[in-house]
Amino acid sequence: MSKVTVEPGKFIERILTLELVRVTERAAVASARWRGRGDKNAADQAAVDAMRRELGKLEIDGTVVIGEGERDEAPMLFIGENIGTKKGPKVDIAVDPLEGTALCADDTPGAICVMAMAESGTLLHAPDAYMQKIAIGPGYPDGTVDLDAAPDANVLSLAKAKGVKPSEIGVLILDRPRHYDMIEKVRATGARVRLITDGDVAGVIYTTRPSETGIDLYMGTGAAPEGVLAASALRCVGGQMQARLVLDTPEKIERAAKMGVSDPKRRYQVTDLASGDVIVAATGVTNGPLVSGVFFGPDYIETETVVYRSATGTVRRIRAEHREMGKFHFD
Ligand code: VTB
Ligand code: MG
Ligand code: MG
């Protein structure tokens, strides 16, 4: 993987890693109150409200580059919204306040609250479109997998690089009809396929810890904003990812062009999606292989967050007991 170096002095202040954790923790607790209630929009709204409230307190001059949509359709965390006290560093903000809204509404595994903060101008401004993605964790030679190669060829190549049989490779794919052919080709190699209904930000990140998650490879087409968030985390630990926007109508091509995408067929590497210093935090809402969900205890609320920092490649897992949440009207 090509190494990205950031000019000295351009690192995001590392203290902000903890601030990000506070933001995603709050969003997770707010949306976890909606777990299993069958109302994904209410769960999402709770996460958005909490995330925005916390983001507003940060000593940053932030711009939302991946958010809830255009200004006219999203009253909060819209793309272009300025966020923070404006007293701190200029940064890009990418959010998915509740990634896996249906997972939360159905109380099934894998819902997370996730955000990234990056050096200004370094995150791809991804339109609300689909994105073809392929991702593996760190430790493999460049080109071990290829977005444009056949699914079975990628599995065989990865197995060879890992020094295992294809049957020992775990592949994560979104359960969608568009992937049925891909799933069949992967299974034909002997590899395991795990299907998820939603939540491919976490799905991509699973590849960074294959022995714990059972997932070595992510492939398939998911949402583009989620691709940028996943790439941000992957970059911090040196994983590989390739992606391409699916811009299959003139309208989509035009929309993307307005967001700065001049080549609609461009193949992005992980460092094109997130090219500068970046920090990413994800807190569990429901339990999952990446992080545990929110636990409502008798006199405290427990959250688990994983936070990545590209400048050093540090990954922290923070289990927090919250004793003041729930005591105020806005909790
Ligand atoms: C994925 C998944 C998301 O969208 O990106 C998916 O990770 C792709 O879209 O959680 P479709 O549902 O249209 O296939 C989500 O499910 C929702 O953002
Ligand atoms: Mg969302
Ligand atoms: Mg999402």
Side-chain angles (χ1 to χ4, degrees):
M1 195 191 85
S2 54
K3 189 135 178 71
V4 178
T5 45
V6 178
E7 278 172 51
K10 290 201 87 180
F11 289 129
I12 299 171
E13 290 162 54
R14 67 179 184 181
I15 189 71
L16 286 169
T17 45
L18 195 53
E19 298 290 1
L20 252 65
V21 174
R22 290 203 175 90
V23 173
T24 55
E25 282 175 350
R26 282 278 174 169
V29 171
S31 51
R33 297 187 191 282
W34 289 94
R35 277 188 314 219
R37 301 190 189 283
D39 189 343
K40 62 181 191 166
N41 293 332
D44 199 23
Q45 194 58 53
V48 171
D49 291 351
M51 196 173 256
R52 181 147 181 276
R53 204 166 43 231
E54 292 304 308
L55 278 171
K57 298 177 190 167
L58 300 193
E59 302 269 297
I60 54 166
D61 180 0
T63 304
V64 175
V65 298
I66 300 239
E68 293 299 289
E70 303 296 321
R71 181 196 287 264
D72 50 357
E73 70 202 32
M76 297 204 301
L77 297 176
F78 57 86
I79 296 160
E81 181 174 356
N82 191 266
I83 207 113
T85 61
K86 298 189 185 68
K87 289 193 194 114
K90 261 184 114 53
V91 289
D92 280 359
I93 303 280
V95 299
D96 197 348
L98 179 56
E99 158 62 350
T101 54
L103 300 174
C104 179
D106 296 343
D107 201 8
T108 48
I112 56 171
C113 296
V114 58
M115 71 165 288
M117 181 185 290
E119 202 189 323
S120 180
T122 62
L123 292 179
L124 179 77
H125 294 208
D128 191 9
Y130 282 118
M131 180 182 258
Q132 303 170 338
K133 316 171 193 177
I134 190 162
I136 53 175
Y140 299 106
D142 273 348
T144 298
V145 294
D146 184 327
L147 184 66
D148 297 316
D152 42 347
N154 280 321
V155 173
L156 298 178
S157 169
L158 181 62
K160 197 169 164 209
K162 195 177 178 183
V164 299
K165 296 188 205 111
S167 59
E168 289 167 67
I169 295 290
V171 185
L172 192 104
I173 302 178
L174 273 168
D175 190 1
R176 298 288 186 277
R178 63 178 177 268
H179 294 146
Y180 288 170
D181 186 51
M182 174 182 276
I183 293 165
E184 210 171 295
K185 288 203 168 74
V186 170
R187 284 197 175 128
T189 66
R192 270 178 294 112
V193 173
R194 188 184 303 166
L195 298 173
I196 53 167
T197 57
D198 291 288
D200 74 348
V201 175
V204 167
I205 298 175
Y206 294 164
T207 64
T208 66
R209 310 272 300 215
S211 52
E212 282 170 24
T213 61
I215 298 302
D216 300 282
L217 172 60
Y218 170 91
M219 61 169 87
T221 299
E226 274 84 348
V228 176
L229 280 161
S232 300
L234 210 60
R235 225 210 87 182
C236 295
V237 296
Q240 293 181 42
M241 180 166 168
Q242 295 159 17
R244 183 182 289 113
L245 293 167
V246 181
L247 303 172
D248 47 11
T249 63
E251 292 75 35
K252 285 185 200 167
I253 293 174
E254 201 188 307
R255 245 174 84 85
K258 280 200 188 122
M259 296 177 78
V261 176
S262 52
D263 175 4
K265 296 220 164 85
R266 178 163 171 198
R267 189 160 107 142
Y268 296 95
Q269 300 289 336
V270 66
T271 47
D272 301 318
L273 300 167
S275 62
D277 191 24
V278 61
I279 14 185
V280 185
T283 303
V285 177
T286 59
N287 286 330
L290 184 65
V291 273
S292 304
V294 176
F295 170 73
F296 291 96
D299 57 356
Y300 63 90
I301 301 168
E302 190 165 85
T303 54
E304 188 183 15
T305 304
V306 59
V307 56
Y308 304 81
R309 182 167 182 249
S310 70
T312 50
T314 311
V315 181
R316 290 185 169 83
R317 288 178 168 273
I318 300 179
R319 287 193 78 89
E321 291 176 17
H322 307 274
R323 290 203 161 63
E324 101 291 17
M325 277 190 209
K327 295 201 177 139
F328 303 105
H329 73 279
F330 52 78
D331 292 323

